[in-house]
Amino acid sequence: MKKSTIINLIFVLAIGIALHLLRKAGFINGYYDHILTKICMFIIAAVSLNLINGICGQFSLGHAGFMAVGAYIAAIFTKNPGLIIPEAIAGMPRFFVALIIGGLMAAFVGFLVGLPTLRLRGDYLAITTLGFGEIIRVLLLNWKFVGGASGYFGIKPYANFLSVYVLAVITVFIIQNFITSSYGRACIAIREDEMAAETMGIHTTKYKIIAFVLAAFFAGIAGGIYAHLMQAIMPRDFSFLVSVDILLMVVLGGLGSTSGSIMAAIFLTLVTESLRRFQSLRVIIYSLMLIFIMIFRPQGLLGGQELSVSMLKEKIKLLFGRIKPEKGYASTNGTE
Amino acid sequence: MPVPVLETKDLTIRFGGLTAVMDLNIHLDEGELVGLIGPNGAGKTTVFNMLTGVYKPSAGTISFCGELLCSAEHSVPPSQISIKGIARTFQNIRLFKELSVLDNVKIAYHQHVKYGLATSFFHIGKYAAEEKEIEKKAIDLLQLFGLENKKNEQAKNLPYGEQRRLEIARALATRPKLLLLDEPAAGMNPQETQNLMELIRFIREEFDLTILLIEHDMSLVMGVCERIYVLDYGRVIAQGSPAEIRTNPKVIEAYLGSEGIA
Ligand SMILES: Nc1ncnc2c1ncn2[C@@H]1O[C@H](COP(=O)(O)OP(=O)(O)OP(=O)(O)O)[C@@H](O)[C@H]1O
Ligand SMILES: [Mg+2]
């Protein structure tokens, strides 16, 4: 591991511990606790979608579908003690095992969806994943075992802030490591020029599928967390609009930037929560926001750059040093 | 007789009614530097596209180091061909424009990476050592091409001549046996062309390469190639040493028909 990675990790740990202590001391009440957990869940969803849409340059609209798979599968396992996972594994350990099974199931479905589609160039993936999301929803509506349209209830609230925070950190760690590795460079090459990447010996279909399946896995994990946070899930919780919300996070943060996705996930979750009482307004504000991004900062907040502790240090040095800071730099305080 | 590095037999490709390349029979022996010339639209780039798996031939075969590479019945994806040892550059430069010069080269090393996917998730084991080695090799290569001081610049910001050189460096990073260069001197001034000629000769020795070169710039082809094939309307109309080609009436006619021989 590089030194900068370790510094970032320490920074992230410090934030986690600080938030945890604030909760313990009673400064963060149940409602904010819920929102913090939700933020972490959306971070997992956004960072994984960024892997497909931002890094690999493929346009997927199916994240809600993968989240639905993860949510229902994980919930089935925590609600039915003794189902496949031995009964001895109960409580939190059962939750984690259920999450992983949900993630693996989502990854498997991702593989089935990606295999025929990712061979093709162009917009086929957007269309297929859009259809896939709807198919999953219709299947769930008609699956009596998980309650059909009325929903699946009585899921235990295993998803607390601390556990989900740790899961988010692990997710970001793994995905960011992948992106900076040679495999990640291969994915970026596909985004930049598919034909040139192929000619350089990169099996483009294979790497697109790897990225897609990896993203589907983490979307499944996010879905599992959602189920155990809300304690009840319905097929309409995973509508196309949820995929769009997550896509908006990725675009707002800057396609290809993990830290951008994280910041946008935090920001948009807060906006959504504060507008909870004005549902119809939310749609308008989101649309306006999207239009403003496209006009004023089409590359997103970070424009594909990564924010890190060392980079913040550089910027601060620049700010107080002799050199004048660059004008128009998006001033944001990140958590990566 | 030694096995040729590259051999095509009756290679043909049709696009609808147009036969872009017809019954092409060429061969390159190990270490040769061969030119492929011809007027605009003769089918030169199309030959490269067949050799690298971008187009599937309509008829005929391509053999690489004595092994059947592809034919009309059996196509191989470009990535597989690159792994077998054929690298190329593009007539209309196809660098990863938004990425750094260094990353452009590192990406081409990817096919030789030994650490697995799981290692890439956790950056454990041989990850650090291998990434360091990739970086070192990429920088060494850039050094040969005089680009190491620009390694952090975006590829699109390099001057044209340097972009062409970077594309060759990137192709070499795949460690090919056979290098295909599509008009490497296009857009260069005479001095740059001269330097490029020396560079091409140098890399052939340094990397034990066999090179097939498409070129419009006659001085480059005549100066550097040992043997030349002349293509016109998809057919080979002449082949031989530069001296023979220069005086071949068919070649003169083909070129006078278009722009005249330099
Ligand atoms: N994908 C394609 N579909 C249809 N026709 C094609 C295709 N690719 C090439 N051709 C045609 O094949 C012929 C040969 O083109 P090619 O690009 O190989 O010529 P070239 O010798 O490289 O010319 P130049 O010197 O201009 O680069 C042209 O008539 C071209 O229009
Ligand atoms: Mg050409």
Side-chain angles (χ1 to χ4, degrees):
Chain A
M1 252 184 279
K2 275 201 295 202
K3 207 177 121 207
S4 58
T5 319
I6 295 170
I7 294 174
N8 285 341
L9 272 179
I10 292 172
F11 189 66
V12 165
L13 272 182
I15 290 179
I17 292 169
L19 284 171
H20 184 62
L21 289 178
L22 283 175
R23 286 167 69 237
K24 281 276 173 237
F27 286 110
I28 297 176
N29 66 24
Y31 173 61
Y32 290 108
D33 203 58
H34 177 89
I35 293 176
L36 279 178
T37 314
K38 212 173 197 178
I39 287 175
C40 293
M41 181 209 83
F42 273 118
I43 288 176
I44 297 176
V47 166
S48 58
L49 186 68
N50 179 51
L51 185 58
I52 313 174
N53 290 34
I55 298 297
C56 225
Q58 310 299 305
F59 198 76
S60 167
L61 279 171
H63 236 46
F66 297 120
M67 286 175 72
V69 173
Y72 276 86
I73 297 290
I76 288 171
F77 278 102
T78 53
K79 263 183 68 99
N80 297 287
L83 181 74
I84 302 178
I85 317 170
E87 223 167 316
I89 302 174
M92 279 309 252
R94 191 172 183 89
F95 170 54
F96 284 119
V97 176
L99 275 186
I100 289 174
I101 296 177
L104 288 176
M105 208 45 209
F108 177 67
V109 175
F111 180 72
L112 294 184
V113 175
L115 195 60
T117 332
L118 290 168
R119 293 166 184 275
L120 310 167
R121 286 175 202 185
D123 303 325
Y124 298 98
L125 188 67
I127 297 159
T128 318
T129 47
L130 191 69
F132 152 77
E134 288 308 293
I135 290 169
I136 290 287
R137 224 165 49 79
V138 171
L139 285 179
L140 289 172
L141 277 173
N142 292 293
W143 193 12
K144 290 286 166 289
F145 180 70
V146 292
S150 53
Y152 200 35
F153 294 98
I155 304 164
K156 292 232 173 66
Y158 286 125
N160 59 32
F161 170 71
L162 201 61
S163 62
V164 180
Y165 186 82
V166 170
L167 286 171
V169 171
I170 294 173
T171 303
V172 172
F173 178 75
I174 290 179
I175 290 185
Q176 193 54 24
N177 276 350
F178 174 80
I179 292 172
T180 52
S181 76
S182 191
Y183 293 87
R185 283 197 295 271
C187 290
I188 293 171
I190 295 171
R191 175 188 76 193
E192 292 297 314
D193 188 330
E194 194 164 341
M195 158 106 139
E198 183 77 33
T199 311
M200 290 304 121
I202 292 164
H203 191 320
T204 52
T205 310
K206 180 174 140 193
Y207 287 98
K208 281 194 264 179
I209 291 176
I210 288 177
F212 192 67
V213 168
L214 193 60
F217 173 79
F218 285 109
I221 299 274
I225 292 169
Y226 180 83
H228 295 84
L229 179 67
M230 307 311 281
Q231 301 172 49
I233 44 177
M234 272 161 249
R236 71 179 157 89
D237 292 345
F238 304 99
S239 74
F240 164 66
L241 287 175
V242 175
S243 295
V244 174
D245 278 353
I246 301 168
L247 181 65
L248 190 60
M249 290 172 186
V250 174
V251 174
L252 178 68
L255 278 167
S257 164
T258 301
S259 40
S261 296
I262 295 173
M263 288 192 306
I266 297 171
F267 177 66
L268 285 185
T269 313
L270 290 176
V271 169
T272 309
E273 287 301 327
S274 49
L275 295 178
R276 190 148 285 280
R277 282 185 296 145
F278 320 98
Q279 270 301 329
S280 48
L281 214 63
R282 193 189 87 116
V283 180
I284 298 171
I285 291 180
Y286 265 42
S287 320
L288 282 178
M289 206 147 64
L290 202 55
I291 293 169
F292 274 108
I293 302 171
M294 288 309 147
I295 296 172
F296 294 110
R297 203 166 165 81
Q299 71 275 46
L301 274 181
L302 290 189
Q305 304 277 46
E306 288 299 348
L307 203 63
S308 65
V309 178
S310 54
M311 181 191 147
L312 278 180
K313 235 167 58 186
E314 288 290 304
K315 290 291 166 191
I316 291 169
K317 256 192 218 154
L318 220 62
L319 209 63
F320 293 107
R322 285 168 308 235
I323 320 151
K324 277 211 176 128
E326 222 182 296
K327 256 195 176 166
Y329 173 70
S331 61
T332 30
N333 36 349
T335 48
E336 209 199 26
Chain B
M1 213 178 99
V3 188
V5 170
L6 179 77
E7 191 169 25
T8 68
K9 283 225 165 73
D10 302 329
L11 198 62
T12 301
I13 187 165
R14 291 179 208 98
F15 298 110
L18 175 88
T19 305
V21 175
M22 177 84 179
D23 292 333
L24 183 81
N25 290 295
I26 62 172
H27 70 94
L28 269 77
D29 289 325
E30 184 154 7
E32 267 193 306
L33 209 171
V34 176
L36 181 62
I37 65 172
N40 282 104
K44 306 178 295 292
T45 301
T46 305
V47 171
F48 272 22
N49 282 336
M50 283 192 282
L51 294 178
T52 52
V54 177
Y55 293 159
K56 190 175 154 219
S58 310
T61 59
I62 301 166
S63 307
F64 181 57
C65 298
E67 202 188 312
L68 179 71
L69 189 66
C70 67
S71 64
E73 296 79 38
H74 171 73
S75 67
V76 181
S79 57
Q80 212 49 44
I81 289 181
S82 165
I83 289 166
K84 286 197 171 167
I86 302 181
R88 75 177 284 186
T89 63
F90 295 90
Q91 184 170 357
N92 47 347
I93 307 182
R94 295 189 79 131
L95 287 168
F96 305 115
K97 293 191 211 65
E98 306 289 325
L99 305 185
S100 72
V101 168
L102 186 61
D103 276 345
N104 267 275
V105 178
K106 278 178 161 184
I107 284 167
Y109 267 120
H110 177 71
Q111 54 176 280
H112 301 292
V113 162
K114 287 187 282 292
Y115 65 75
L117 201 54
T119 307
S120 81
F121 294 156
F122 301 103
H123 289 196
I124 41 167
K126 42 188 179 196
Y127 177 85
E130 218 183 317
E131 278 291 319
K132 213 171 180 177
E133 194 189 313
I134 293 170
E135 173 127 1
K136 187 183 172 299
K137 283 188 173 155
I139 289 175
D140 285 350
L141 204 52
L142 287 175
Q143 217 143 22
L144 278 184
F145 286 78
L147 292 167
E148 87 276 13
N149 53 346
K150 300 209 168 175
K151 65 180 197 282
N152 294 322
E153 272 187 46
Q154 271 184 315
K156 66 174 179 193
N157 292 337
L158 294 186
Y160 195 74
E162 289 183 357
Q163 290 195 21
R164 286 243 170 249
R165 271 189 284 152
L166 175 57
E167 221 194 4
I168 300 176
R170 183 181 69 171
L172 286 179
T174 66
R175 296 192 206 140
K177 275 207 212 60
L178 173 66
L179 179 64
L180 310 175
L181 301 172
D182 198 343
E183 302 203 15
M188 286 187 178
N189 62 37
Q191 183 55 45
E192 283 177 319
T193 306
Q194 180 64 33
N195 293 345
L196 182 74
M197 250 158 53
E198 276 155 32
L199 186 69
I200 291 174
R201 274 202 212 96
F202 170 75
I203 58 171
R204 173 170 64 151
E205 300 305 319
E206 183 80 12
F207 296 90
D208 290 325
L209 288 170
T210 306
I211 298 176
L212 180 61
L213 180 131
I214 294 179
E215 197 44 74
H216 256 130
D217 189 315
M218 279 304 151
S219 63
L220 180 74
V221 190
M222 298 293 170
V224 81
C225 296
E226 286 131 18
R227 218 147 52 74
I228 292 170
Y229 289 99
V230 187
L231 212 57
D232 194 20
Y233 293 111
R235 289 166 189 271
V236 174
I237 55 165
Q239 64 182 78
S241 68
E244 289 164 354
I245 294 299
R246 213 189 300 265
T247 52
N248 188 314
K250 272 187 187 163
V251 179
I252 294 167
E253 191 191 337
Y255 267 84
L256 283 179
S258 55
E259 70 221 51
I261 200 157

